[in-house]
């Protein structure tokens, strides 16, 4: 009997297969989407990890395994919903015969057209309305989204200046001018006059026409 028990103990333990990469990615996406809905519905202050888990249809413990805090969840939202689409646009090099204006139209305008539908404008508005009370929100958005985007526009402005493609040289020192229609649309559509939406992409395209030859 003792020998049998020893043989059983010496048998290798059966492997417990963890969740697949695909399932893990799907669960993470569910949590991210649920967190965004919770933040936008209740505000960052009143959003809870329990509420996020309920929206995602998951146990609260599962949510904590993916994101330990609300702060980590917000950072995940910023990276998944805002940064990834912009990174895809930024990664495409400008063509040898392509003007900077045309490059902006082909890489940035598609993201502008979807800024409301994909929730990116709502995330920006959350930062605007709650960033002073929760500085972490503004810090994450500034470092991960705002500063890299302005730097990207700055590089494009310098390239256009070197090529003689600019109507307004002020853009080289203040690339924020090219981003202005984006923020005008975000503020107008969600905070100031949501009943009369303006087309952010159309504003951006018009600004390109005003700034570039």
């Amino acid at each position: 009997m003792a020998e049998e028990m020893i043989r059983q103990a010496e048998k290798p333990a059966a492997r417990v297969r963890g969740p697949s990469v695909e399932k893990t990615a799907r669960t993470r996406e569910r949590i991210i989407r649920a967190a965004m809905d919770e933040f936008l519905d209740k505000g960052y202050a009143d959003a809870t990890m329990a509420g996020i888990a309920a929206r995602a249809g998951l146990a609260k413990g599962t949510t904590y395994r993916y994101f330990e805090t609300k702060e980590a969840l917000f950072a995940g939202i910023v990276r998944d919903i805002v940064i990834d689409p912009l990174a895809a646009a930024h990664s495409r090099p400008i063509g040898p015969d392509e003007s900077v204006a045309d490059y902006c139209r082909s890489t940035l305008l598609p993201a502008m057209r979807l800024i409301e539908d994909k929730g990116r404008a709502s995330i920006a508005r959350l930062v605007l309305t709650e960033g002073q009370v929760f500085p972490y929100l503004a810090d994450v958005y500034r470092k991960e989204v705002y500063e890299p985007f302005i730097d990207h526009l700055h590089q494009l402005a310098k390239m256009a200046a070197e090529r003689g493609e600019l109507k307004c040289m002020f853009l080289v020192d203040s690339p924020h001018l090219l981003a202005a229609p984006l923020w005008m649309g975000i503020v107008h559509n969600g905070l100031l006059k949501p009943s009369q939406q303006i087309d952010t992409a159309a504003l951006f395209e018009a600004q390109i026409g005003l700034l570039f030859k």
Side-chain angles (χ1 to χ4, degrees):
M1 185 67 177
E3 291 179 356
E4 178 63 22
M5 292 176 64
I6 291 173
R7 284 197 297 272
Q8 291 293 331
E10 288 177 346
K11 287 183 179 180
R15 290 185 178 180
V16 178
R17 182 172 294 179
S20 67
V21 174
E22 293 81 7
K23 184 177 180 181
T24 297
R26 287 196 302 270
T27 301
R28 186 181 187 281
E29 183 179 0
R30 282 171 64 187
I31 296 170
I32 288 289
R33 289 292 176 180
M36 187 165 74
D37 290 342
E38 179 86 352
F39 290 157
L40 298 182
D41 183 30
K42 294 186 176 180
Y44 186 81
D46 293 330
T48 65
M49 295 294 279
I52 292 165
R55 286 177 187 265
L58 300 168
K60 188 166 68 170
T62 301
T63 304
Y64 277 111
R65 284 203 297 272
Y66 284 80
F67 301 95
E68 294 183 354
T69 62
K70 282 201 304 182
E71 290 83 359
L73 256 172
F74 180 76
I77 290 171
V78 168
R79 294 188 181 103
D80 286 20
I81 306 299
V82 183
I83 294 175
D84 286 354
L86 287 177
H90 294 176
S91 65
R92 184 177 83 74
I94 189 168
D97 300 320
E98 185 178 24
S99 70
V100 174
D102 285 341
Y103 178 79
C104 288
R105 292 187 183 99
S106 65
T107 60
L108 298 178
L109 267 179
M112 302 287 181
R113 293 191 180 102
L114 297 174
I115 191 168
E116 293 289 349
D117 294 343
K118 297 298 184 180
R120 296 170 201 142
S122 297
I123 294 168
R125 288 190 284 266
L126 180 69
V127 173
L128 290 175
T129 55
E130 301 203 41
Q132 284 192 322
V133 179
F134 300 99
Y136 176 81
L137 305 183
D139 288 343
V140 168
Y141 196 88
R142 183 183 69 254
K143 293 174 184 176
E144 300 284 352
V145 182
Y146 183 73
E147 289 178 347
F149 183 59
I150 293 298
D151 183 64
H152 181 64
L153 297 182
H154 188 207
Q155 297 305 316
L156 292 176
K158 289 195 295 184
M159 181 185 297
E162 292 168 359
R163 293 176 167 195
E165 296 178 4
L166 283 184
K167 292 180 185 176
C168 176
M169 294 303 294
F170 182 70
L171 186 64
V172 176
D173 294 323
S174 298
H176 315 78
L177 191 60
L178 189 54
L182 169 64
W183 285 98
M184 185 67 225
I186 288 171
V187 173
H188 176 98
N189 290 342
L191 299 175
L192 297 180
K193 213 162 186 180
S195 62
Q196 295 182 9
Q197 299 278 298
I198 58 177
D199 187 336
T200 301
L203 285 181
F204 183 74
E205 189 166 16
Q207 188 78 323
I208 291 173
L210 293 172
L211 297 173
F212 295 88
K213 294 180 180 177

